[in-house]
């Protein structure tokens, strides 16, 4: 065990897998000598050479196009998109290429070895273009996996599993947690399962569901609710695609109530998919409408960031509303 | 910062100096004259009779295949086809200059390269009938071939996407120590996509052994080249990327062969990209959905029909004493019969069983797709007539 | 009144507005002299000159980037993306630029005059890349409007309204209806409202909700259900963003049941947003779970197209399941 | 098909002919030597004292602004800043060559162009403090200026997106019959984006009166130019697009002015794009989030510090008898005080009221955003302490 922050855990995961498998290559804007603008790839170029850790020109569509090609060849690319907000120029390469590569070729070719890492999320005074949470844009795209860790321990275990998983994975890192705190992370190799949710806290009155940095928010809201005598179960989805319907439904059947929280705008956010599925599978168990506590349906603002965020107060109020329905 | 790209080596001037079109001449390699005779100054590339004949025969084969499949589409037997008439030399002769280990990433009009690699008539048909013998499992429209054993990447419709992919593939080959390169085909229209820019620039910066082979055939569907770009073709872009570039007469099989051969050598030895622009003309309609009379003249077409690569090569082969007219006639006749026979067989082969609707989305079929498949199967059992192609096999 | 098919109605709308407003310009791949691969822009170049109707180079990101610039200058661009499947290279220009242009500048600059036309949808043996229904990818993006007509009459009225609306509109045309049938279309100028659903058929037992070409499917399924004595209300959403929550909820409060049908894959499709909203607003009125009849969570297949499609049979079965819940 | 881009005018060769880097020399316009004296062969551009002084004063002003704002960021008064130290001539002198009617679409390091247009210190501050006097309503990070009256388009963070937009804007200007052009600034890093390719190609094909002004400052954050591209800078790409191109010493205000002046004339008269590559150097850190010592040497920086554009221009002004040292000192001092004063005032101005969280998403606020706003307002009233910047004003 070592104390690591989330960035260090990612760096450690990359070192772990690069030492084992020389097909693993890490690249993106500024990831080479400099180690990335957040330093997630620090020292990799020194350790593994310029061939395996390198800067690319400034082109996200190129980075993912290149990565698709490498993966289809049998290399194991770990491509970084500097901010989640800048992943959209690569949208075609991801949605039309990465996700359909295996299917369209009948399984002859695939880019299953590809992992795309990108920081996402708000709360860092970044405004429109350094704050977005784009997971739902990709969740509508069969063929991808989407994984989001909530702490350093998960970051390492999920990243190792993502890189080794034989499907393309979009690995989204909650950047406001990058250096927020350190926790115990095994120095050894380990993996956490993809597609499985994690129960953060058991409870009986309502299920609170989220991922990434919003789990903290759910915990704070749950504490507030506890003072009112409300027992919250908190589930961290961890994988957005495919997602753990069983775990969520099991919890909802127990508590009878569900609240989903995410930073992205509400309309068309991933909470809508969860709500649609859960109302179908747990119809007779629901004692109140499924609540969504999300970002507003506006671009991510700067000056009004606090007001925009689905924080613990908004969550707590929604818990009360749901309980009092 | 190394100065290579920034200031060192930059000369200064003291008057405004405008770099314009036409400043540099990018000549086009032509070895065979349009009449099939060797240019006086040209050096015949090293090519043995077997290779030359195989190039020629493949071009003839492709022309037959294209004709027949257009016919089959008209008869409603397949839904779509896309011919390469007039452009056969560009894909066939370039493929001939490669090693079988080299990866081919094509756009969609390079059936000639695939045939040269050894794709059989039956394989062509299975893909076009989307039947269960197509290794791509019938998931894409006709002409989206792909064959792993032949190192021919499954074609994707979105234009230009294969260009940065080819750079990455080649980078992977280099890192793995393979003695192989990647060739990436695309049209002059596709070269307008952002992916072209990304792919060429990345290959140059990251030293990828890849040949970018542009078929400049004058049109992107109805859009003529002069509404596609204003520079001197695609070749002139090579300068901007610092990529070695060769322009070649795409209707001259010897020139295409020689250029690609040399490009491959450079790419492999120097670990760098090479751009080839083949000047040719799409004599065919864009596809069976298109009618070119709406946007170009018969005269223009005729001008290019006169530059036919097949006739040109036939004349050269004759001059070498390598051409056997009788054998050629037989070959064409046999190709026709093969195509018709394969067509008849393949169109009767079943499409993949319904289970394949959910395979290959992921490496394994995840729980939610299993659920969707199960529901679909029960549904098909209830309405067998609505899903005649799969219902008979649903258990 | 004249008989027009959907393509002719679009062509007619373009002529109508180009005659009135010389700031309107129409462009895209092959739209110039040739009139577009579907011929929606036929004869416009002849009528209005090459300056106002022109081919662009083959670059979707460029087309929308260029259109954004034109719109911000005050021109009225109507940009065509040849197939909805090829809109993804322009995703960044649409999601990060078009949609945020007005907000980020505090209303100083906007691209409100922009309309993007694109054919979408399956049923034409087009496989992965000539069949997709990408509306949900854009529905998660505040700042856009998304409009889909279901017949020639709507096509003209909604397109005119979209072009004149001072917000960027993504106008999606169900291409399998392009030449499917002709109907009466006024030759005069008229508009249909954006953001308003259209009740296609009244009924009392269940609400069937869809848009575009799928309305036909709902009608066929409703007829099958009628034989069982089930009375279906059919609503055509017409606008995906912003969508007419009031109309839908009013209907659901009446019928107590809701079925949503779309061609796009189920997970993260727009049906999920509708279901999430309706279960919240109509919780106490729902007599059965909201049903989604959608495409499978796979890329759009070719050989199995029939099996993939959310057709009338699947819809009819889902109606029965919902009624018998 | 017109033959311009296809075959006519293409010469033939009969040996493989490789077009390589270094084939053509793209010289750099330099009018003032680094020591500030006029090159012997150079022609001084027509420039009056007023314009020259305004260019100079703006450069001095921007340097002060940059210094102070980096300081303010260190003190935690603003969250972010991005300086243009060493590159002032590129943006200021190019803006000086324009008409006020011309639209400026910038990347983010062109505060010099904005100041030249007349943006005031107070306006700079209001944007950086995201307060309610910023016409952009505080919605983006500091330095994302925009001002409609000054024809300065609001800056967007995603790189390169403004490039095809500039082509479209210029096309609109042309169609509207305005006697105006668009200038589009971007870095050599942004020029790797697909949007660059699209923007230049479209402008060339569609005859758009636009100046593409590339600041090649050697770095994109930590990435040196030689890991960004392998060609001869950005200028060499102009050839491929058929776009008239001028390379200029970006640290020479006279050269930048002369080149831009001529480019504007060409763009307007010939309805065509012109590409300018200004060779310069980012002496500053990329932004206040960056520390360049991790990727470049002090010596390299010093080499460039010696080419400072401000000093260079001061010497030339002196030689013209246009330089008043005293006045300049006063100007700098006054700028410092102005900045400090405006900073103090602006940081106390409220941010926009909460209603503005939902305005400008659409032309009107649609029902669902009204609902969301109402819910938010009730919520803020319940938890005023959690939202101190707006709660006081929620009714
Ligand atoms: C991204 C994308 N946009 C548009 C299309 C539609 N489309 C198919 S082929 C074609 C023209 C391609 O022209 P070119 O690259 O010159 O190849 P050629 O057909 O001449 O061989 C177009 C526009 C597409 N397939 N992909
Ligand atoms: C699409 C996109 N990708 C990545 C970034 C992050 N980023 C901001 S500035 C920058 C470097 C830009 O370099 P250059 O264009 O040379 O301009 P300079 O900073 O040198 O003025 C990067 C990578 C971004 N803003 N947008
Ligand atoms: Mg072409
Ligand atoms: Mg730079």
């Amino acid at each position: 065990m070592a104390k690591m922050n989330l960035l260090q855990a990612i760096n450690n995961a990359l070192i772990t897998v690069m030492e084992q498998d020389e097909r693993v290559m890490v690249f993106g804007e500024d990831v080479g000598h400099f180690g990335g603008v957040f330093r997630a790839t620090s020292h990799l170029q020194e350790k593994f050479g310029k061939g395996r850790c390198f800067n690319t020109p400034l082109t996200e569509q190129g980075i993912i196009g290149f990565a698709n090609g490498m993966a289809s060849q049998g290399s194991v690319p770990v491509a970084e998109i500097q901010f989640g907000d800048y992943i959209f120029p690569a949208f075609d390469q991801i949605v039309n290429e990465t996700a359909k590569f295996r299917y369209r070729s009948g399984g002859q070719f695939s880019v299953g070895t590809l992992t795309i890492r990108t920081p996402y999320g708000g709360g860092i005074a970044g405004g429109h273009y350094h704050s977005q949470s784009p997971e739902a844009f990709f969740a509508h795209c069969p063929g991808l996996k989407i994984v989001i860790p909530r702490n350093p321990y998960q970051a390492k275990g999920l990243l190792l599993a993502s890189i080794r998983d034989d499907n393309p994975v979009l690995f989204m890192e909650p950047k406001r947690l990058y250096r927020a705190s350190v926790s115990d992370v095994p120095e050894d190799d380990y993996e956490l399962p993809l597609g499985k949710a994690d129960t953060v806290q058991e409870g009986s009155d309502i299920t609170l569901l989220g991922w990434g940095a919003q789990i903290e928010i759910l915990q704070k809201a749950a504490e507030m609710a506890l003072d009112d005598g409300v027992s919250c179960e908190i589930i961290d989805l961890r994988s957005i695609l495919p997602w753990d319907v069983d775990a969520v439904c099991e919890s909802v059947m127990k508590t009878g109530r569900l609240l989903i929280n995410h930073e992205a705008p509400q309309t068309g956010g991933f909470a809508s998919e969860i709500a649609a599925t859960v109302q179908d599978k747990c119809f007779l168990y629901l004692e109140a409408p499924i609540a969504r506590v999300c970002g507003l349906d506006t671009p991510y603002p700067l000056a009004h960031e606090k007001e925009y965020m689905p924080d613990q107060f908004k969550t707590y109020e929604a818990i009360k509303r749901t309980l009092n329905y | 910062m190394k100065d290579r790209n920034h200031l060192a080596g930059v000369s200064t001037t003291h008057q405004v100096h405008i770099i314009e079109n036409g400043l540099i001449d990018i000549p086009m390699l032509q070895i065979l004259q349009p009449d099939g005779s060797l240019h006086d100054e040209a050096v015949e590339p090293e090519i043995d009779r077997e290779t030359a004949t195989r190039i020629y025969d493949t071009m003839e084969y492709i022309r037959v295949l294209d004709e027949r499949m257009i016919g089959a589409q008209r008869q409603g037997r397949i839904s779509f086809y896309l011919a390469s008439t007039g452009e056969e030399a560009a894909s066939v002769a370039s493929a001939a200059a490669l090693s079988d280990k080299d990866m081919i990433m094509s756009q969609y009009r390079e059936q000639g390269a695939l045939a040269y690699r050894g794709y059989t008539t039956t394989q062509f048909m299975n893909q076009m009938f989307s039947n269960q013998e197509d290794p791509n499992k019938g998931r894409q429209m006709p002409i989206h071939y792909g064959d792993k054993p032949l190192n021919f990447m499954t074609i994707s419709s979105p234009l230009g996407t294969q260009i940065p992919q080819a750079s990455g593939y080649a980078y992977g080959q280099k890192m793995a120590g393979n003695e192989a390169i990647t060739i990436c085909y695309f049209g002059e229209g596709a070269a307008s996509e952002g992916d072209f820019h990304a792919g060429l620039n990345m290959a140059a910066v990251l030293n990828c052994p890849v040949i970018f082979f542009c078929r400049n055939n004058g049109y992107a569907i109805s859009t003529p080249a002069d509404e596609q770009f204003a520079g001197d073709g695609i070749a002139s872009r090579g300068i901007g990327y610092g990529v070695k570039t060769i322009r070649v007469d795409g209707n001259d099989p010897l020139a295409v062969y020689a250029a690609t051969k040399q490009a491959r050598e450079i790419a492999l030895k120097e670990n760098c990209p090479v751009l080839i622009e083949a000047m040719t003309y799409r004599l065919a309609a864009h596809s069976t959905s298109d009618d070119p009379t709406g946007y170009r003249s018969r005269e223009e077409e005729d001008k290019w029909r006169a530059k036919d690569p097949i006739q040109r090569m036939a004349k050269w082969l004759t001059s070498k004493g390598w051409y056997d007219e009788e054998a050629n006639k037989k070959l064409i006749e046999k190709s026709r019969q093969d195509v018709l026979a394969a067509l008849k067989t393949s169109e009767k082969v079943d499409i993949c069983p319904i289970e394949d609707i959910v395979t290959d989305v992921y490496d394994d079929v995840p729980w939610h797709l299993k659920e969707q498949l199960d529901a679909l199967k029960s549904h098909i059992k209830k309405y067998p007539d609505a899903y005649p192609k799969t219902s008979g096999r649903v258990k």
Side-chain angles (χ1 to χ4, degrees), chain A, chain B:
Chain A
M1 287 289 180
K3 294 275 178 207
M4 296 185 199
N5 65 25
L6 206 148
L7 275 171
Q8 291 164 330
I10 284 164
N11 189 256
N12 186 271
L14 292 172
I15 291 173
T16 303
V17 68
M18 288 180 87
E19 277 172 350
Q20 284 165 14
D21 184 349
E22 61 173 31
R23 298 172 313 151
V24 179
M25 291 173 236
V26 172
F27 52 92
E29 294 158 15
D30 301 296
V31 309
H33 173 64
F34 189 54
V37 294
F38 291 105
R39 321 313 277 274
T41 57
S42 280
H43 303 300
L44 300 183
Q45 188 174 85
E46 269 165 60
K47 275 199 204 335
F48 302 103
K50 242 186 141 161
R52 293 184 58 204
C53 173
F54 53 94
N55 286 341
T56 61
L58 211 169
T59 166
E60 292 77 14
Q61 65 191 116
I63 292 169
I64 304 303
F66 195 88
N68 279 331
M70 279 179 76
S72 68
Q73 178 273 336
S75 298
V76 184
V78 183
E80 177 177 304
I81 297 293
Q82 201 164 79
F83 284 87
D85 312 71
Y86 304 136
I87 201 167
F88 301 127
F91 203 75
D92 185 56
Q93 280 286 350
I94 297 173
V95 164
N96 265 342
E97 296 290 317
T98 305
K100 300 177 174 61
F101 221 98
R102 193 194 303 262
Y103 196 73
R104 75 183 179 209
S105 70
Q108 293 189 90
F109 298 98
S110 105
V111 296
T113 54
L114 171 61
T115 304
I116 303 171
R117 291 182 41 247
T118 194
Y120 83 95
I124 58 150
H128 294 21
Y129 297 119
H130 296 84
S131 305
Q132 294 175 62
S133 296
E135 68 275 10
F137 288 115
F138 297 96
H140 185 44
C141 184
L144 300 179
K145 293 192 175 182
I146 306 173
V147 174
I148 305 183
R150 77 165 186 276
N151 60 31
Y153 171 74
Q154 282 194 2
K156 179 172 175 182
L158 289 172
L159 182 54
L160 282 170
S162 297
I163 294 172
R164 291 172 185 146
D165 186 82
D166 195 18
N167 295 286
V169 179
L170 176 59
F171 189 83
M172 297 177 57
E173 303 166 3
K175 63 176 165 303
R176 77 167 182 268
L177 300 187
Y178 266 162
R179 298 192 174 89
S181 64
V182 295
S183 61
D184 280 334
V185 175
E187 283 165 295
D188 287 351
D189 197 339
Y190 66 98
E191 291 184 19
L192 296 173
L194 307 188
K196 290 273 166 242
D198 181 38
T199 302
V200 180
Q201 165 182 318
E202 302 210 2
S204 53
D205 296 331
I206 183 170
T207 304
L208 309 183
L209 181 61
W211 46 87
Q214 291 306 92
I215 297 297
E216 271 190 11
I217 300 293
L218 296 182
Q219 287 172 313
K220 286 184 194 163
E223 263 175 56
M224 292 170 75
L226 191 60
D227 289 344
D228 303 341
V230 176
S231 157
C232 299
E233 178 141 313
I234 301 180
I235 297 185
D236 173 3
L237 202 54
R238 287 201 297 199
S239 280
I240 303 295
L241 199 72
W243 63 287
D244 195 345
V245 174
D246 281 352
V248 174
C249 288
E250 201 181 304
S251 173
V252 174
M253 287 185 203
K254 183 176 78 180
T255 62
R257 294 179 187 85
L258 176 63
L259 177 154
I260 312 153
N261 175 304
H262 61 59
E263 276 183 53
Q266 171 160 310
T267 298
F270 198 65
S272 65
E273 174 58 38
I274 298 168
T277 299
V278 171
Q279 67 83 30
D280 184 37
K281 304 226 178 210
C282 308
F283 190 72
L284 298 175
Y285 296 82
L286 282 172
E287 292 173 34
I290 299 164
R292 291 185 285 170
V293 182
C294 306
L296 267 62
D297 283 321
T298 71
Y300 198 106
L302 182 80
H304 291 136
E305 172 165 40
K306 260 199 158 41
E307 287 79 359
Y308 174 88
M309 284 289 269
D311 60 16
Q312 60 268 34
F313 307 110
K314 295 183 187 173
T315 307
Y316 168 64
E317 287 296 320
I319 293 172
K320 285 198 292 187
R321 276 196 303 276
T322 305
L323 264 298
N324 297 332
Y325 188 80
Chain B
M1 173 183 48
K2 323 258 170 47
D3 270 333
R4 164 160 72 113
N5 301 305
H6 197 224
L7 262 195
V10 172
S11 62
T12 54
T13 177
H14 313 294
Q15 320 273 323
V16 176
H17 190 104
I18 297 170
I19 307 294
E20 301 198 50
N21 242 349
L23 195 79
I24 113 157
D25 175 39
I26 305 185
M28 175 178 86
L29 175 68
Q30 194 176 69
I31 293 178
L32 290 181
Q33 316 215 36
D35 71 4
S37 62
L38 209 67
H39 265 289
D40 287 347
E41 313 98 285
V43 187
E44 211 178 78
E46 267 185 57
I47 184 166
D48 55 25
R49 178 172 181 164
E50 198 194 322
T51 307
T53 311
R54 186 164 152 205
I55 292 175
Y56 182 81
D57 290 352
T58 305
M59 294 200 296
E60 287 278 27
Y61 169 76
I62 284 297
R63 189 153 297 179
V64 168
L65 179 72
D66 282 355
E67 275 169 20
R68 291 288 125 170
M69 297 319 294
I70 289 176
Q73 194 276 338
R74 289 220 182 96
Q75 296 168 352
R77 293 165 83 179
I78 53 171
S79 59
F80 179 84
Y81 192 72
L82 189 148
S84 67
T85 317
E87 300 181 61
E88 295 90 348
S91 53
V92 175
S94 56
L98 304 175
S99 149
D100 284 350
K101 292 174 305 179
D102 296 337
M103 170 53 66
I104 297 180
M105 290 183 162
S106 80
Q107 179 158 309
Y108 51 53
R109 210 182 293 280
E110 295 85 3
Q111 48 265 54
L114 183 55
Y116 192 91
R117 271 281 161 97
Y119 209 56
T120 66
T121 304
T122 300
Q123 286 178 303
F124 274 110
M125 294 305 137
N126 288 336
Q127 197 287 326
M128 281 185 278
F129 285 103
S130 328
N131 71 28
Q132 64 188 1
E133 276 161 30
D134 167 28
N136 302 292
K137 300 186 186 161
R139 293 201 177 118
Q140 285 194 91
M141 282 173 69
I143 70 111
H144 290 70
Y145 316 109
D147 195 67
K148 181 128 188 176
L150 293 180
N151 284 319
F152 190 97
M153 181 65 73
T154 299
I155 293 167
S156 169
S157 312
L159 288 166
T161 51
Q162 82 280 18
I163 306 176
Q165 289 172 12
S167 306
Y169 200 101
Y171 190 89
Q173 289 172 311
K174 177 179 83 169
M175 292 299 289
N178 301 344
E179 272 284 292
I181 66 148
T182 297
I183 191 166
C184 176
Y185 293 98
F186 53 93
E188 89 293 341
S192 293
E193 292 282 1
D195 275 358
F196 165 88
H197 184 60
L200 268 84
N201 190 39
M202 290 183 82
V205 171
L206 297 168
N207 307 312
C208 306
V210 52
I211 299 176
F212 296 111
F213 193 104
C214 178
R215 290 179 294 94
N216 182 345
N217 63 6
Y219 286 91
I221 308 185
S222 77
T223 305
D226 73 328
E227 297 184 21
Q228 194 65 247
F229 48 77
D232 177 15
I234 304 302
S236 63
R237 296 187 193 161
I239 301 165
Y241 297 117
V243 168
K244 292 187 173 149
T245 299
I246 307 171
R247 172 175 278 163
V248 66
D249 182 343
N251 287 20
D252 174 355
L254 289 197
V256 170
Y257 181 79
T260 312
K261 197 109 204 161
Q262 189 154 341
R264 181 176 192 275
E265 247 175 67
I266 295 172
L268 202 56
K269 233 184 255 159
E270 304 179 23
N271 268 323
C272 72
V274 180
L275 170 63
I276 297 178
E277 181 183 31
M279 308 307 289
T280 180
Y281 188 83
R282 198 196 75 210
L283 271 178
H286 169 70
S287 73
T288 49
S289 318
D290 176 49
D291 173 11
T293 59
Y295 52 84
R296 68 187 189 189
S297 69
R298 187 87 200 169
E299 294 79 64
E300 184 186 286
E301 292 177 7
D302 287 343
K303 216 178 75 189
W304 279 91
R305 229 179 292 277
K307 303 190 198 181
D308 186 58
I310 298 187
Q311 283 166 34
R312 202 191 288 199
M313 191 165 189
K315 285 183 197 139
W316 175 73
L317 287 174
T318 308
S319 75
K320 299 282 283 186
W322 290 353
Y323 188 67
D324 177 342
E325 184 145 7
E326 256 326 285
N328 187 46
K329 273 197 185 140
K330 272 194 200 142
L331 180 93
I332 293 179
E333 196 38 47
K334 185 175 176 314
S335 298
R336 286 199 180 126
Q337 284 163 4
D338 283 358
V339 170
L340 288 180
L343 215 148
K344 271 196 192 153
T345 312
S346 290
E347 68 187 342
K348 289 192 205 109
V349 176
D350 274 344
I351 64 168
C352 284
I354 192 58
E355 283 73 15
D356 277 320
I357 201 171
V358 298
T359 56
D360 304 320
V361 182
Y362 294 95
D363 55 346
D364 294 322
V365 180
W367 67 266
H368 68 291
L369 287 177
K370 281 193 189 125
E371 247 183 51
Q372 293 183 8
L373 176 64
D374 287 345
L376 180 59
K377 283 164 81 172
S378 327
H379 178 75
I380 292 174
K381 276 193 268 183
K382 232 177 193 157
Y383 293 89
D385 297 345
Y387 313 96
K389 289 192 181 162
T390 48
S391 54
R393 287 171 290 158
V394 173
K395 289 167 287 273

